[in-house]
């Protein structure tokens, strides 16, 4: 390091072992960046004292935007003046995280001029993360980013930057064009992305197939996961080739099927597709023999989140199957209804999944004008006393007649 007076025995421990270390990266940046040097000093003090020394000092951002910048300040500005401001900037990533080397160099050049030089490629939402700059540099950074074709991502109680898997660009299993849908939603919801107006954040994540490589089912308020509704395509000769080369189809495929919808008689693989759960296990194991069906679209799910205030939630089925085709009207129409209801009735910092738990799925579906379907049922009703709305309507009519 350029500043040999910065001693970090606690942080040095994190460089040991075979795993990559963020400490090593900060030390590399510290050779040129005074901000990174002071960052090391403050982190070392935090590790020794077991106290975090970062504080949020109010709203900070760029003109016209309410999101994209996360304000962060040190509560030790006299001791570590170069990180007295240490704001994080989120930059909207391209669909599928495809970059040219020129684009990456451009981003790094901008950041070395105006910030610490530390980046996170990428944040858990997907954004390009610039870690550490001061308030006077925010507008110049924004100006240079937009000049090069980049925009800020989402932060706060808004639409977070939509993200997706590589989809049909590189994956043969993609059941719809994740890249096109992600771009369309990003462009369509610009106002909701840049100007926080919701009870809390709202995330879209697009996965091209049930392998769900962006983990949308666990992390997004709306998961759009590619699937098919006809039969799995089977190449019988390829199945036999796998068997002849030593694969134990009975053990590796049939017995691992969660739906128990497959049989192997030693010569032919039989699939009862009406029972198939689209888990992709058999297709992943025998990619030359099995492929998703031809009638492709997506399952739309809602309500996932990580544990913050309440516990973690996996998303639940909203639409078992829809076609994903421009202009994506069905998705946008239901999103508009969801936001209207949630914005009106949701509590502060209440994710849509928590909102649904609070008001009940039936009431939520009625409010957004979506008919319930069997695929929404997580498990059979435990309460034996079942009442239907039409019963109450009939009772009310009989009382009026009397």
């Amino acid at each position: 390091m350029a500043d040999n007076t910065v001693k970090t025995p606690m942080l040095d421990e994190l460089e040991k072992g075979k795993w990559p270390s963020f400490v090593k990266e900060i030390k590399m940046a510290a050779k040129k960046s005074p901000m990174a040097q002071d960052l090391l000093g403050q982190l070392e003090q935090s590790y020794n004292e077991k106290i975090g020394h970062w504080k949020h000092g109010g709203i900070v951002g760029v003109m016209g935007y309410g999101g994209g910048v996360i304000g962060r300040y040190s509560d030790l500005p006299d001791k570590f003046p170069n990180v007295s401001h240490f704001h994080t900037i989120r930059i909207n990533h391209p669909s599928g995280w495809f970059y040219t080397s020129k684009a990456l160099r451009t981003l790094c050049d901008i950041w070395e001029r105006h910030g610490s030089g530390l980046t996170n490629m990428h944040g858990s939402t997907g954004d390009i993360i610039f870690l550490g700059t001061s308030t006077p540099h925010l507008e110049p950074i924004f100006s240079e980013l937009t000049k090069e074709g980049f925009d800020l991502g989402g932060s706060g109680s808004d639409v977070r930057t939509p993200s997706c898997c590589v989809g049909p660009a590189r994956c043969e299993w993609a059941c719809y064009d994740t890249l096109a849908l992600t771009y369309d939603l990003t462009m369509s919801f610009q106002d909701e992305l840049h100007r926080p107006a919701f009870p809390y954040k709202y995330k879209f994540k697009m996965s091209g197939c049930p392998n769900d490589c962006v983990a949308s089912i666990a992390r997004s308020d709306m998961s759009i996961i590619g699937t098919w509704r006809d039969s799995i395509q089977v190449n019988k000769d390829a199945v036999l080739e796998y068997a002849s080369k030593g694969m134990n189809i009975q053990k590796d495929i049939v017995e691992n099927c969660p739906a128990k919808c497959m049989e192997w008689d030693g010569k032919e693989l039989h699939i009862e597709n009406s029972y198939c759960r689209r888990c992709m296990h058999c297709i992943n194991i025998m990619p030359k023999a099995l492929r998703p069906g031809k009638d492709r679209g997506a399952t739309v799910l809602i309500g996932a989140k990580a544990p913050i205030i309440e516990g973690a939630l996996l998303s639940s089925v909203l639409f078992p199957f829809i076609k994903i085709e421009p202009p994506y009207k069905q998705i946008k129409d239901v999103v508009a209804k969801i936001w209207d209801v949630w914005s009106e009735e949701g509590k502060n910092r209440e994710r849509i999944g928590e909102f649904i738990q609070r008001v009940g799925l039936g009431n939520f579906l009625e409010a957004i004008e979506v008919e319930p379907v069997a695929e929404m049922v997580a498990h059979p009703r435990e309460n034996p006393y079942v009442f239907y709305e039409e019963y109450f309507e009939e009772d009310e009519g009989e009382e009026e007649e009397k």
Side-chain angles (χ1 to χ4, degrees):
M1 292 188 306
D3 186 354
N4 294 322
T5 64
V6 180
K7 304 300 181 183
T8 57
M10 293 287 284
L11 292 178
D12 294 346
E13 291 295 314
L14 297 177
E15 292 187 273
K16 297 176 181 178
K18 61 182 180 180
W19 305 111
S21 170
F22 72 93
V23 175
K24 178 181 178 181
E25 301 302 321
I26 297 176
K27 287 182 176 179
M28 288 174 62
K31 293 176 181 179
K32 295 191 294 183
S33 169
M35 293 187 81
Q37 290 181 25
D38 275 8
L39 176 62
L40 285 170
Q42 180 165 310
L43 281 173
E44 180 71 17
Q45 182 164 333
S46 293
Y47 273 59
N48 281 306
E49 297 177 349
K50 299 182 175 61
I51 297 173
H53 287 288
W54 297 115
K55 63 179 183 177
H56 292 275
I59 300 299
V60 63
V62 299
M63 188 69 68
Y65 282 24
V69 180
I70 298 95
R72 186 171 288 114
Y73 300 87
S74 170
D75 66 3
L76 301 170
D78 295 333
K79 187 171 184 180
F80 303 109
N82 293 305
V83 292
S84 58
H85 298 189
F86 201 74
H87 308 317
T88 290
I89 301 178
R90 289 180 178 161
I91 302 165
N92 200 322
H93 55 267
S95 297
W97 302 291
F98 286 101
Y99 301 92
T100 63
S101 57
K102 180 179 183 297
L104 291 173
R105 292 179 189 278
T106 298
L107 289 168
C108 292
D109 288 345
I110 292 172
W111 192 228
E112 285 195 342
R113 286 195 292 272
H114 297 289
S116 69
L118 296 170
T119 64
N120 179 356
M121 304 287 285
H122 297 83
S124 59
T125 294
D127 293 289
I128 306 159
I129 305 296
F130 281 1
L131 288 163
T133 193
S134 60
T135 303
H137 282 278
L138 292 176
E139 289 293 345
I141 291 169
F142 181 55
S143 177
E144 291 190 34
L145 286 170
T146 53
K147 183 179 179 181
E148 296 294 339
F150 289 94
D151 197 1
L152 298 192
S155 69
S157 298
D158 61 8
V159 171
R160 296 300 178 86
T161 313
S163 64
C164 64
C165 67
V166 296
R170 292 193 63 187
C171 180
E172 60 185 320
W173 305 139
C175 295
Y176 73 95
D177 192 337
T178 57
L179 308 168
L181 177 59
T182 300
Y183 179 78
D184 189 278
L185 294 180
T186 302
M187 300 305 290
S188 297
F189 297 132
Q190 285 289 293
D191 195 59
E192 292 82 2
L193 198 155
H194 292 307
R195 297 170 182 87
F198 295 153
Y200 204 17
K201 55 191 167 186
Y202 194 95
K203 296 181 179 181
F204 292 98
K205 292 191 187 298
M206 278 57 74
S207 286
C209 79
N211 281 323
D212 195 12
C213 290
V214 292
S216 67
I217 198 169
R219 303 189 300 146
S220 63
D221 298 275
M222 180 164 278
S223 323
I224 303 173
I225 302 177
T227 188
W228 62 96
R229 60 180 171 185
D230 55 347
S231 298
I232 293 174
Q233 300 180 68
V234 181
N235 183 326
K236 295 181 180 180
D237 293 336
V239 173
L240 291 173
E241 183 180 350
Y242 275 111
S244 68
K245 291 185 176 179
M247 178 178 287
N248 188 331
I249 293 177
Q250 178 64 32
K251 182 179 180 180
D252 296 338
I253 305 294
V254 175
E255 294 180 10
N256 284 326
C257 174
K260 306 303 179 188
C261 70
M262 312 179 85
E263 290 183 355
W264 169 247
D265 60 11
K267 295 181 180 179
E268 189 172 352
L269 184 66
H270 302 275
I271 303 175
E272 179 50 66
N273 281 278
S274 62
Y275 292 165
C276 177
R277 297 180 187 172
R278 313 296 195 268
C279 75
M280 292 288 290
H281 172 73
C282 60
I283 296 174
N284 292 334
I285 299 298
M286 294 197 299
K288 294 181 180 179
L290 305 176
R291 300 185 68 81
K294 296 180 180 179
D295 187 7
R296 301 180 180 185
T299 298
V300 179
L301 305 99
I302 192 165
K305 59 176 281 293
I308 300 179
I309 296 177
E310 298 290 340
L313 293 173
L314 293 180
S315 55
S316 303
V317 172
L318 185 63
F319 298 122
F321 184 90
I322 63 172
K323 286 289 190 180
I324 306 294
E325 298 169 346
Y328 314 109
K329 186 176 186 301
Q330 186 174 358
I331 292 174
K332 292 176 185 176
D333 285 350
V334 76
V335 165
K337 292 175 182 176
I338 289 169
W339 288 347
D340 284 345
V341 173
W342 179 47
S343 295
E344 185 70 25
E345 305 292 342
K347 296 180 179 180
N348 186 40
R349 293 180 67 83
E350 182 177 53
R351 295 284 286 272
I352 190 67
E354 295 166 326
F355 174 71
I356 293 170
Q357 282 191 324
R358 178 167 63 86
V359 304
L361 180 60
N363 292 328
F364 174 73
L365 293 174
E366 184 177 355
I368 64 171
E369 300 174 341
V370 171
E371 289 293 323
V373 292
E375 287 85 351
M376 296 175 179
V377 178
H379 56 81
R381 183 187 294 269
E382 295 173 351
N383 187 336
Y385 299 98
V386 181
F387 300 98
Y388 297 94
E389 290 184 7
E390 53 263 34
Y391 288 0
F392 294 111
E393 291 171 2
E394 290 175 6
D395 291 342
E396 289 169 2
E398 289 174 2
E399 289 176 5
E400 289 175 1
E401 289 176 6
K402 293 178 182 179

